[in-house]
Amino acid sequence: QSAPHNVPGLPHFVLQLSGAKTAAMSDRKRMSIGAVTAPILGSRSSATTEREAGIAEVFTKASEEKLKALYVTSVTDRDLQGRQSFAEKDRVVLAPPGCDEQEMEDWVRQCVGFGCKKGLKPESPNQDSFSLVVVENDFAMYGVYDGHGPAGHDCSDLSLRKLGSAFLNDPDRERDPGAVLTKVFLDTQEILMKQGNFD
């Protein structure tokens, strides 16, 4: 799972999904909002992944303003149960056009540590996911998605894709990030509940 640290001078948000339930919303999963070297997949095109993640506009703005930026996300392991315990989860690393991905990752790793390793359950894939988006002098967003149950890996992956994209594309993100995070969390919860195969 990711272990975020503060990036000096940037507003930052942490998304965390867990199986705990709150008294106020006993039928919903809980999300906490607070301040607080893996296989890299080459099978998905950067443009497709940027659109899916909702960062195309973020990267366009960063490029125009000549800002450093990075997007890193885990993806469900292609080998599922074949992954050894403590092996890193597959991930996608993207940087704006014209930026070197490794250079951007090194820049972010000066302030932020992240990773996602499989646990000791040989019968299941790594059920956790993470994401981060960091834009120099603008914002940083870190997400930790904790999957449980037989389809936990699918649940955490779907949550990662829906939450991040919805948050980044919401026009009110900069004005009221807390309200937007709450809204996109509830929308994502509803999507998960409609899937029918998640407990």
Side-chain angles (χ1 to χ4, degrees), residues 2 48 55 64 99 102 116 169 173:
S2 81
T48 299
I55 59 168
E64 289 170 356
C99 293
Q102 187 59 54
C116 190
N169 286 311
R173 172 177 57 90

Side-chain angles (χ1 to χ4, degrees), residues 25 50 57 59 65 67 80 93-95 98 139 143 154 159 167-169 172 189 196 198:
M25 295 170 47
E50 286 178 20
E57 186 175 311
F59 276 1
E65 296 178 15
L67 299 174
L80 295 177
V93 177
L94 298 173
F139 76 97
D154 294 325
S159 298
F167 177 75
L168 292 171
N169 286 311
D172 294 326
Q189 178 68 27
F198 299 140

Side-chain angles (χ1 to χ4, degrees), residues 14 31 51 71 76 109-110 113 126 159-160 168 176 197:
V14 177
M31 177 176 75
R51 281 192 306 279
Y71 171 78
T76 298
R109 284 190 181 271
Q110 291 174 10
N126 185 337
S159 298
L160 175 156
L168 292 171
D176 194 352
N197 61 338

